[in-house]
Amino acid sequence: MRIGVAREIKPDEYRVALTPAGALELINAGHDVAVETRAGEGSAFSDESYARVGARIVSVEEVWGESELLLKVKEPIAAEYGRLREGLILFTYLHIAADQALTRALVDSGVSAVAYETVETPRRALPLLAPMSEIAGRLASQAGAYFLEKPFGGRGLLLGGVPGVAPGRVVVIGGGIVGYNAAVIALGLGAQVTILERSIDRMRHLEEILSGRVSLLMSSSLQIASSVEDADLVIGAVLIPGALAPKLVTREMIADMKNGAVVVDVAIDQGGCFETSRPTTHSDPVYVVDGVTHYCVANMPGGVPITATKALTNATLPYVEAIAGLGLRDAVAADPELAKGVNVLAGKITYEAVAEAHGLEYTPLDDALALSA
Ligand SMILES: NC(=O)c1ccc[n+]([C@@H]2O[C@H](COP(=O)([O-])OP(=O)(O)OC[C@H]3O[C@@H](n4cnc5c(N)ncnc54)[C@H](O)[C@@H]3O)[C@@H](O)[C@H]2O)c1
């Protein structure tokens, strides 16, 4: 298959959808890989590093015009809509339920679009979102530790303490992938860590894998209020699938926190779980409410593109290999996880929630496959 890797043009996006290592795997399997010039630059992969493994370095027109399968990281932006065309398979983060203009562009163009974020295992895990949650969780503790330092507006506290001086208290609300990874790094820094969770099964699992090194408490309004009041750093990491994040920490709770404490709202991409949260960017990551520093960067992994690119491509490569090896039709027939990723097939919306969100026609994937046969 002719596989293309487009350069990301969305502002502040430095990731790329394929590493040279991934390109070599695909080339060894007999595929043709074309990489848009400078596509890997933001992740420290030069054109030369792709050329060395046998990829062709091509222009933006060639990569969009000649590929059968186009790999990207972010959804196409308006400037790219004109490049969508019938017959092209696009594999990328799409998030189209919240983007009517892009949904229309995909439908009108007749493209097939597979979304990373809706690839789903039978146990309802999201394997192509998980690596970004791992990164965001780990960064959350790192950012929190940094903004607790006095010169950056914090209380002036070392999270790990030193012998004879107590460590800082970190409270993580939500013990999923983000929360677990935040806890691991906070523990590594030497902090005293509490995780508030709602799922007892998840708490049992965390107890096992963290071998009792964190306090695990049932998440309730009362517990949140008392834990947050004592905390130096609070990390918001809850998720209710398909819904906005619940506002678990109220403005009053923030006002009761210590002066110079820090909150990191990782759930900001779902609206945030602190009442006082609003999205920020890597170039201006924090603001202060009632003496508490708020870090609410909506695309945290974007700050570490080298790590994020490698983690993302590790997770996407098996699906890319399947689509390239079998063709989209046979690949989705063979793998229900990948089938869940198909949002648009030859211009037909095959993901019910997307069709519903925009009041557009929904065509079940099997019907769309039959129509396009
Ligand atoms: N800002 C970023 O850059 C970034 C990056 C990755 C993920 N995220 C976001 O981080 C959030 C967490 O993602 P995840 O992958 O860890 O999800 P996850 O599903 O693995 O974990 C969420 C956890 O929250 C728990 N939970 C739900 N309601 C709760 C409550 N009231 N109190 C305590 N816990 C509760 C669930 O039981 C679950 O264990 C999501 O909103 C996700 O979109 C943001």
Side-chain angles (χ1 to χ4, degrees), residues 7-364:
R7 188 166 77 89
E8 298 301 318
I9 58 170
K10 198 171 173 178
D12 286 335
E13 183 53 66
Y14 300 104
R15 290 171 293 179
V16 61
L18 189 71
T19 59
L24 180 59
E25 294 300 316
L26 295 169
I27 290 165
N28 284 345
H31 303 294
D32 172 71
V33 175
V35 179
E36 184 180 336
T37 180
R38 296 177 47 222
E41 209 170 56
S43 297
F45 293 123
S46 62
D47 285 355
E48 160 64 10
S49 64
Y50 288 99
R52 227 180 288 133
V53 299
R56 294 183 297 118
I57 306 302
V58 300
S59 67
V60 59
E61 288 77 21
E62 282 171 281
V63 82
W64 281 88
E66 292 173 11
S67 302
E68 294 167 271
L69 169 60
L70 187 72
L71 308 178
K72 269 183 61 51
V73 176
K74 295 301 274 190
E75 74 283 359
I77 60 173
E80 292 166 319
Y81 291 175
R83 301 190 185 280
L84 299 167
R85 60 181 164 80
E86 205 178 328
L88 180 69
I89 305 165
L90 183 64
F91 193 30
T92 188
Y93 285 122
L94 270 181
H95 295 288
I96 52 174
D99 191 341
Q100 177 127 34
L102 175 59
T103 307
R104 285 248 170 243
L106 294 171
V107 168
D108 292 347
S109 67
V111 81
S112 294
V114 187
Y116 292 160
E117 73 277 5
T118 65
V119 171
E120 187 180 321
T121 70
R123 301 187 66 184
R124 309 213 65 189
L126 303 171
L128 303 187
L129 275 184
M132 297 304 116
S133 286
E134 290 169 342
I135 291 174
R138 287 170 184 236
L139 268 179
S141 291
Q142 202 169 300
Y146 178 83
F147 286 106
L148 274 169
E149 290 180 33
K150 197 76 177 168
F152 306 115
R155 301 189 66 215
L157 179 99
L158 181 62
L159 263 188
V162 288
V165 181
R169 291 167 192 256
V170 176
V171 171
V172 181
I173 310 177
I177 301 178
V178 168
Y180 165 73
N181 280 278
V184 164
I185 294 302
L187 283 171
L189 290 171
Q192 185 196 320
V193 181
T194 300
I195 301 179
L196 305 180
E197 239 298 339
R198 216 176 46 163
S199 153
I200 295 181
D201 282 346
R202 181 67 187 168
M203 281 193 274
R204 288 200 179 104
H205 179 64
L206 291 170
E207 170 75 21
E208 235 170 72
I209 56 178
L210 292 168
S211 348
R213 289 182 296 147
V214 299
S215 300
L216 290 158
L217 297 175
M218 176 52 79
S219 171
S220 66
S221 300
L222 205 59
Q223 187 59 62
I224 291 172
S226 89
S227 297
V228 163
E229 192 175 354
D230 285 342
D232 299 296
L233 166 62
V234 180
I235 295 170
V238 298
L239 177 67
I240 298 178
L244 281 179
K247 301 284 180 203
L248 299 173
V249 178
T250 63
R251 195 181 176 111
E252 291 72 43
M253 294 182 202
I254 292 285
D256 286 343
M257 287 180 75
K258 298 172 196 165
N259 205 38
V262 176
V263 300
V264 176
D265 197 348
V266 187
I268 191 67
D269 61 340
Q270 303 297 326
C273 52
F274 300 84
E275 211 169 55
T276 43
S277 295
R278 58 174 166 79
T280 61
T281 59
H282 284 292
S283 49
D284 192 8
V286 294
Y287 61 95
V288 177
V289 178
D290 290 340
V292 175
T293 301
H294 288 54
Y295 176 103
C296 307
V297 175
N299 68 331
M300 293 175 68
V304 290
I306 294 179
T307 309
T309 283
K310 291 179 181 171
L312 177 65
T313 58
N314 284 346
T316 55
L317 189 63
Y319 299 101
V320 174
E321 287 173 330
I323 299 172
L326 300 169
L328 184 59
R329 176 177 298 274
D330 289 348
V332 300
D335 183 358
E337 293 183 16
L338 183 61
K340 287 260 191 187
V342 182
N343 280 220
V344 180
L345 190 101
K348 301 259 182 281
I349 300 179
T350 53
Y351 202 84
E352 199 165 6
V354 168
E356 237 168 55
H358 303 303
L360 293 170
E361 192 189 341
Y362 163 62
T363 310

